[in-house]
């Protein structure tokens, strides 16, 4: 009996050793096949464009195809859930933006925890926004808009791409700081929201400079301020929110790369290093800077993990204070 037990133990130990060796080999050989990056929004926006750029750079440096797959849905939940449930082997990744932080707070069916269910890899970019209005709005500064909003509480319409979207939350942060009440108008995407502000159906919008910039230059929209701490080099005459009476105000959209929780640290470290290496190309940085998008990698996956925690805490408080309810 003791002899048979010893054989069983030996067999288990041998199996465990083989499994550990196989796992170690898989990590050291990574990647040995195509990598898939899920983008949970429609093609053409900043998340998609930056993800495709990162995918192309990873494919070049890692020697395997990196395929971008768009899985758009309301609040980007479907694509996010796919990655949360994927095998933690480094072959299914998620490219997302700041809506990732808020969906679990304000959506009844988000189905994921932004801290627990994902392994942070790195930031991929920061995109500042305009606070912009239709030219017919009788306000040329933030202070003038605040005075108008206080005179007409709940009548100033804030167009955005949905409950918990970056534009929605930026508007709520502003409303809280300014002590005003906005009327949120939700659209299925930011493109339609911009069109309606241009058409005068809505008055206000917080939107990325990269997408609204041409309309501001063309006079179809009026930019009152930028949401970054520094003025945009592309629009040097537009003041920051801090210069407009809100010290320390910063609300930029973050884009980033994540893996399922449990992905080996060695794989996470390799992916982070490859993105950081790609971002050392001056021509790549310049190409995106011309669209007012700052390509930036986190100092480390751990540092990005702390960013996730702080953003979830910050935006959850904004949602609670604004009384935003789960849909």
């Amino acid at each position: 009996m003791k002899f048979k037990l010893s054989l069983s133990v030996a067999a288990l130990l041998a199996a465990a050793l083989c499994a550990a060796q196989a796992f170690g080999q898989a990590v050291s050989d990574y990647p040995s096949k195509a990598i898939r990056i899920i983008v949970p929004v429609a093609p053409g926006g900043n998340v998609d464009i930056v993800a495709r750029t990162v995918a192309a750079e990873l494919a070049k440096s890692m020697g395997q195809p990196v395929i971008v797959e768009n899985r758009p849905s309301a609040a980007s939940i479907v694509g996010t859930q796919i990655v949360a449930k994927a095998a933690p082997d480094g072959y299914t990744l998620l490219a997302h933006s700041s809506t990732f932080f808020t969906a679990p707070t304000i959506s009844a069916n988000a189905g994921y925890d932004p801290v627990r269910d994902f392994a942070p890899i790195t930031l991929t970019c920061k995109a500042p926004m305009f606070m912009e209005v239709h030219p017919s709005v009788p306000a040329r500064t933030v202070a003038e808009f605040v005075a108008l909003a206080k005179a007409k509480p709940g009548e100033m319409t804030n167009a955005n791409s949905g409950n918990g979207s970056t534009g929605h939350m930026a508007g709520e942060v502003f409303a809280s700081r300014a002590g005003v009440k906005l009327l949120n108008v939700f659209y299925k995407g930011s493109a339609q929201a911009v069109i309606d502000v241009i058409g005068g159906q809505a008055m206000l919008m917080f939107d990325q400079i990269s997408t609204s910039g041409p309309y501001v230059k063309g006079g179809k929209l009026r930019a009152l301020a930028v949401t970054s701490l520094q003025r945009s080099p592309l629009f040097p005459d537009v003041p920051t929110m801090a210069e407009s009476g809100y010290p320390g105000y910063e609300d930029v959209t973050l884009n980033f790369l994540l893996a399922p929780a449990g992905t080996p640290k060695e794989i996470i470290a390799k992916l982070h290093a490859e993105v950081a290496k790609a971002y050392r190309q001056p021509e790549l940085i310049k190409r995106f800077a011309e669209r007012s998008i700052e390509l930036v990698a986190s100092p480390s996956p751990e540092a990005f993990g702390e960013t996730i925690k702080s953003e979830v805490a910050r935006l959850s408080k904004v949602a609670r204070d604004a009384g935003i309810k789960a849909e």
Side-chain angles (χ1 to χ4, degrees), residues 76-292:
S76 64
I77 287 171
V78 172
T80 304
Q81 289 178 346
I82 289 172
V83 180
K85 297 172 183 176
D89 55 10
Y91 291 100
T92 303
L93 309 177
L94 178 68
H96 214 322
S97 70
S98 297
T99 54
F100 169 83
F101 305 128
T102 57
T105 299
I106 63 177
S107 177
N109 63 340
Y112 71 88
D113 183 290
V115 175
R116 184 186 63 237
D117 294 335
F118 293 89
I121 299 173
T122 184
L123 283 172
T124 54
C125 81
K126 296 180 179 180
M129 291 180 276
F130 278 137
M131 177 184 174
E132 60 197 25
V133 296
H134 183 268
S136 66
V137 174
R140 294 189 170 275
T141 66
V142 175
E144 289 177 359
F145 182 89
V146 170
L148 190 63
K150 287 184 175 180
K152 300 179 178 181
E155 295 183 28
M156 305 304 289
T157 48
N158 175 37
N160 56 74
S161 59
N163 194 30
S165 64
T166 54
H168 177 205
M169 300 306 287
E172 295 292 358
V173 171
F174 164 71
S176 176
R177 290 285 300 269
V180 299
K181 178 68 175 177
L182 303 175
L183 176 61
N184 286 296
V185 182
F186 298 139
Y187 293 82
K188 291 183 178 180
S190 59
Q192 186 58 51
V194 170
I195 289 171
D196 269 17
V197 179
I198 291 172
Q201 283 78 39
M203 301 175 186
L204 170 71
M205 187 172 182
F206 285 82
D207 189 42
Q208 278 77 35
I209 297 174
S210 57
T211 51
S212 280
Y215 302 116
V216 171
K217 283 185 176 180
K220 295 181 178 180
L221 293 171
R222 179 187 303 136
L224 302 183
V226 295
T227 62
S228 50
L229 292 175
Q230 293 82 33
R231 294 193 182 198
S232 167
L234 302 181
F235 295 88
D237 294 334
V238 179
T240 65
M241 293 293 289
E243 292 172 323
S244 302
Y246 300 90
Y249 188 107
E250 182 183 29
D251 198 335
V252 299
T253 301
L254 305 179
N255 286 8
F256 41 83
L257 202 60
L258 302 159
T263 301
K265 290 184 178 181
E266 297 86 348
I267 289 177
I268 295 296
K270 186 168 187 177
L271 288 165
H272 172 270
E274 294 298 337
V275 173
K277 182 174 70 174
Y279 282 5
R280 289 197 285 269
Q281 302 176 66
E283 66 278 8
L284 192 65
I285 300 296
K286 181 175 182 292
R287 174 153 54 94
F288 278 86
E290 290 170 350
R291 298 187 57 185
S292 200

Side-chain angles (χ1 to χ4, degrees), residues 52-62 66 274-275 277-279 281 284 287:
R52 291 181 184 278
T53 299
V54 169
E57 294 298 325
L58 290 177
K60 285 191 292 186
S61 64
M62 300 180 81
V66 182
E274 294 298 337
V275 173
K277 182 174 70 174
Y279 282 5
Q281 302 176 66
L284 192 65
R287 174 153 54 94

